[in-house]
Amino acid sequence: AKKKLDAQKDYVQMVDSRPSSAKDVAAFQMNYVEAMSGSRRLNLTSRRIGDASMEGIADNLANNTMLRFLVLGRNDIGVKGVRLLATALLSNITLTRLDIGSNQFGNEGVILLAESLHTNCTLQRLDLYNTPMDESGALAVAKCLKVNKTLRELSLRGNNMGNEGAMLIGDSLRYNTVLTSLFLQENNVDPIPGMIGFITSMYSIDNFVLERLEGIDLSEFSRILDISPEPTAMSNNKILAMMRKRRGLHVSKRVMNN
């Protein structure tokens, strides 16, 4: 397999053709594992890896002390492959960024990954776009966010968590003191009930650290944000900055009682 590799082995982009048959899987798996063993960043997007090649990748990742950034997006990875990956994350101590979006492992796979992050203490960025998950997956992620102390950026865009899922994620932020970026676009969250539910779930956060929020428009809710001046023309980032300065989000009692 051909690879692009800089002098410091800081980034590898696999540029060979995808395996076209089952007999190619073993050879390609060896190429992936070889690349993982000598790289800090590895992009395996659209390699048609599937569950069959995940065993070798997961085995390497479990004891890999060099790889920091792994992209596995659009690879036909199912629940079996994710289970192997989640197990590897329990022992890996160096990976800081994982992109495993656009793999159709659904709620079961999301739950496995979320549970592994109760233990993993190094991952800082996780991309779970278009997995697809609904509120059951959102519940597992919310439970993870309540205890995880390292994840700083999380993308859940392009899923189907709906209003209930958004509320669960919002509630988890009451307990999380490290997440700074959250992406929730395209999740079938209704403009009014879902977004109000997300915001009110964050009522009275004392250690508010969120810096970037996508998919929930805070400017639409001036009546429940106790912020002055009027926030309707403000960007999400500016409103979040004001909320951090005031150490939390304070929702008006009138709205909480409605």
Side-chain angles (χ1 to χ4, degrees), residues 12 53 75 168 219 228 243:
V12 174
S53 292
N75 269 300
L168 290 167
S219 69
S228 181
M243 289 159 61

Side-chain angles (χ1 to χ4, degrees), residues 34-242:
E34 178 186 359
M36 290 176 69
S37 299
S39 310
R40 294 178 183 171
R41 300 176 58 173
L42 181 61
N43 186 346
L44 296 177
T45 302
S46 299
R47 297 288 91 196
R48 199 187 296 167
I49 291 172
D51 291 340
S53 292
M54 281 303 297
E55 183 173 356
I57 291 174
D59 285 347
N60 180 284
L61 183 62
N63 300 300
N64 190 304
T65 59
M66 187 172 184
L67 194 66
R68 303 292 189 272
F69 176 13
L70 179 61
V71 182
L72 294 170
R74 299 196 298 275
N75 269 300
D76 305 317
I77 299 172
V79 174
K80 181 179 178 181
V82 170
R83 180 175 288 108
L84 294 168
L85 180 62
T87 300
L89 289 174
L90 295 176
S91 55
N92 180 276
I93 58 172
T94 55
L95 193 71
T96 60
R97 181 175 179 180
L98 175 63
D99 179 342
I100 192 169
S102 286
N103 288 290
Q104 305 299 298
F105 45 75
N107 289 322
E108 189 174 353
V110 170
I111 291 170
L112 290 167
L113 285 172
E115 289 178 346
S116 74
L117 296 186
H118 287 244
T119 300
N120 179 281
C121 60
T122 58
L123 200 67
Q124 298 177 16
R125 301 175 67 179
L126 176 62
D127 203 327
L128 291 173
Y129 65 90
N130 187 29
T131 52
M133 61 176 240
D134 57 27
E135 64 184 77
S136 296
L139 175 60
V141 173
K143 290 179 178 179
C144 164
L145 291 176
K146 289 181 179 181
V147 299
N148 181 275
K149 302 299 181 183
T150 59
L151 200 63
R152 299 184 181 278
E153 181 176 312
L154 175 63
S155 175
L156 302 174
R157 69 187 190 278
N159 286 293
N160 191 32
M161 69 172 62
N163 298 339
E164 291 297 322
M167 292 175 65
L168 290 167
I169 298 297
D171 179 68
S172 72
L173 298 182
R174 297 171 56 195
Y175 308 92
N176 185 287
T177 59
V178 294
L179 191 71
T180 58
S181 298
L182 178 60
F183 302 88
L184 299 175
Q185 305 98 310
E186 302 171 16
N187 263 289
N188 293 321
V189 179
D190 292 335
I192 301 301
M195 293 183 183
I196 288 181
F198 177 89
I199 293 171
T200 54
S201 292
M202 296 192 298
Y203 178 63
S204 295
I205 301 176
D206 294 326
N207 298 300
F208 193 80
V209 296
L210 198 64
E211 297 175 2
R212 184 175 182 185
L213 174 65
E214 303 291 342
I216 303 291
D217 188 358
L218 299 179
S219 69
E220 297 295 324
F221 299 99
S222 58
R223 72 187 185 93
I224 66 173
L225 295 178
D226 183 19
I227 296 176
S228 181
E230 186 71 20
T232 53
M234 293 183 185
S235 67
N236 267 13
N237 289 350
K238 189 170 183 179
I239 293 174
L240 289 171
M242 296 181 70

